[in-house]
Amino acid sequence: MSRGAAAALAVIAIVAGVAGALVGTPWNDKKANSAIGPAVATTVPPQDPNLSIVATAIPKSIDVFSAPNGPKKTSLANPNENGAPLTFLERDEQPGWVHVLLPVRPNGSDGWVRASDVTLTSHYYKIVVELAAHRVIVSDHGKVFLDTPAGIGKAETQTPVGLYYTKELLQPPNPNTVYGHYVYGLSGFSNVIFHFEGGEGVIGIHGTNDPSGLGKDVSHGCIRISNDAIEMLAKKLPLGVPVEIRQ
């Protein structure tokens, strides 16, 4: 067995127990990422509270800066390690520059990218995760179209609160695990799981083969919803959907 295959099986084994954090992603599924719902050209004023603007990288590597014309913070590969287009959620714009939320540690990291290095699209979807209520609420143009029970992180591996976004859509090779039929990898990370077989403890929203865990604290940090719910979202949502996780 190759080292990569062993790592994948190790991750699946942990997830099939009671884990829920994407502590190393066993699937490089370009097909799933290519099937995401469409975004539309940016034409609505950014002050619209329901509008989100998504920046998608153009070159194979994109430089991120601390400020417009400031020092470089880092460089990120495009596509990402799982074959998804490198995607950011826009926070602001200046001439020639786009201020974005980054899919890196620590949670909430941001930076500036050159406007010439990204394409901008927009959509009206939002996801809110209510931890205390164990609910995932998804809206379009401010109107809720999905309100569903969720399994969240256990006391020792809590789901981290904050503002994140969907950075990739993955399809497990075996749908009969607690990953379920689809996984949205988020831009956020577990606060307590940092390394596992090369993974960094990415938080995700995914389906599950065990609906008895919905409405409970059961995972290593991820958010579990029903397979029916995740299938609906996988057919509808583009990447770059903001995900607000709150108590």
Side-chain angles (χ1 to χ4, degrees):
M1 180 181 295
S2 69
R3 185 175 182 275
L9 287 176
V11 173
I12 292 172
I14 283 184
V15 170
V18 290
L22 295 179
V23 291
T25 307
W27 323 295
N28 296 317
D29 197 330
K30 296 180 181 180
K31 179 180 179 182
N33 280 298
S34 67
I36 57 176
V40 297
T42 301
T43 58
V44 182
Q47 62 267 26
D48 186 323
N50 295 311
L51 177 72
S52 292
I53 298 177
V54 180
T56 304
I58 298 172
K60 292 183 179 179
S61 178
I62 190 167
D63 293 332
V64 181
F65 299 83
S66 59
N69 298 309
K72 187 172 81 170
K73 295 179 64 172
T74 188
S75 295
L76 299 175
N78 177 44
N80 73 8
E81 65 275 13
N82 293 312
L86 180 60
T87 303
F88 308 100
L89 182 63
E90 183 189 278
R91 312 308 295 143
D92 195 9
E93 291 183 28
Q94 288 189 15
W97 295 89
V98 183
H99 186 205
V100 295
L101 193 62
L102 299 174
V104 302
R105 287 187 186 272
N107 288 337
S109 294
D110 62 352
W112 292 81
V113 298
R114 295 184 181 95
S116 59
D117 283 344
V118 296
T119 58
L120 299 181
T121 53
S122 65
H123 63 79
Y124 293 88
Y125 299 107
K126 293 185 185 297
I127 299 174
V128 174
V129 181
E130 297 278 6
L131 296 179
H134 294 84
R135 308 294 296 184
V136 168
I137 303 164
V138 190
S139 61
D140 180 11
H141 287 77
K143 297 181 179 180
V144 173
F145 67 87
L146 178 66
D147 185 341
T148 190
I152 64 171
K154 296 177 290 185
E156 63 271 26
T157 53
Q158 294 181 12
T159 303
V161 299
L163 177 64
Y164 311 105
Y165 64 90
T166 57
K167 69 172 186 177
E168 58 196 356
L169 175 62
L170 308 172
Q171 188 170 22
N174 177 9
N176 192 33
T177 72
V178 294
Y179 272 138
H181 294 176
Y182 286 97
V183 179
Y184 277 107
L186 305 186
S187 60
F189 299 79
S190 168
N191 289 327
V192 294
I193 298 174
F194 294 90
H195 302 287
F196 184 85
E197 295 290 346
E200 297 183 86
V202 174
I203 297 300
I205 298 176
H206 60 79
T208 180
N209 70 335
D210 182 14
S212 68
L214 302 180
K216 300 177 182 177
D217 300 350
V218 293
S219 81
H220 279 185
C222 279
I223 300 105
R224 302 179 188 179
I225 57 178
S226 71
N227 280 327
D228 286 345
I230 199 68
E231 285 183 0
M232 175 197 294
L233 297 183
K235 294 174 182 177
K236 191 176 184 70
L237 301 184
L239 295 184
V241 173
V243 179
E244 181 186 358
I245 301 178
R246 59 195 188 197
Q247 292 295 345

